[in-house]
Amino acid sequence: MKINNHKGWAEIKKSLNYTSEVRKKMISLSAKLTVAILGKQEEAGISNADLALKAQVSERSIVDLTEDDSVPSIEVLIKLALAMDMELEII
């Protein structure tokens, strides 16, 4: 899996139309979580199928993380992070 060929987050943010400041922050947080999850997945060498099974989500949910126009649900991101043994900290 390669995630290096995607646009940078700063570039993507410029092209987005936000309906509210809350939506903007939600997309930003989702993007940060997505990058962290995909990076950890790549580092661990875990396939999409294995991660999907472990997280109890569809494999399509993981593939969607690599799409520029897809904003994953927070539930999917939390499931994936927990499946990757990542700790989520609220500060």
Side-chain angles (χ1 to χ4, degrees), residues 22-69:
V22 170
R23 180 77 176 145
K24 180 179 180 179
K25 289 178 182 178
M26 190 171 139
I27 290 172
S28 179
L29 178 58
S30 293
K32 289 175 186 176
L33 278 169
T34 297
V35 168
I37 290 165
L38 291 175
K40 180 112 176 169
Q41 179 191 10
E42 184 174 32
E43 179 183 296
I46 298 174
S47 71
N48 287 350
D50 288 342
L51 180 55
L53 184 64
K54 189 173 180 181
Q56 299 179 358
V57 300
S58 70
E59 191 171 344
R60 181 75 227 174
S61 294
I62 297 169
V63 172
D64 285 348
L65 295 179
T66 63
E67 304 290 325
D68 287 344
D69 60 350

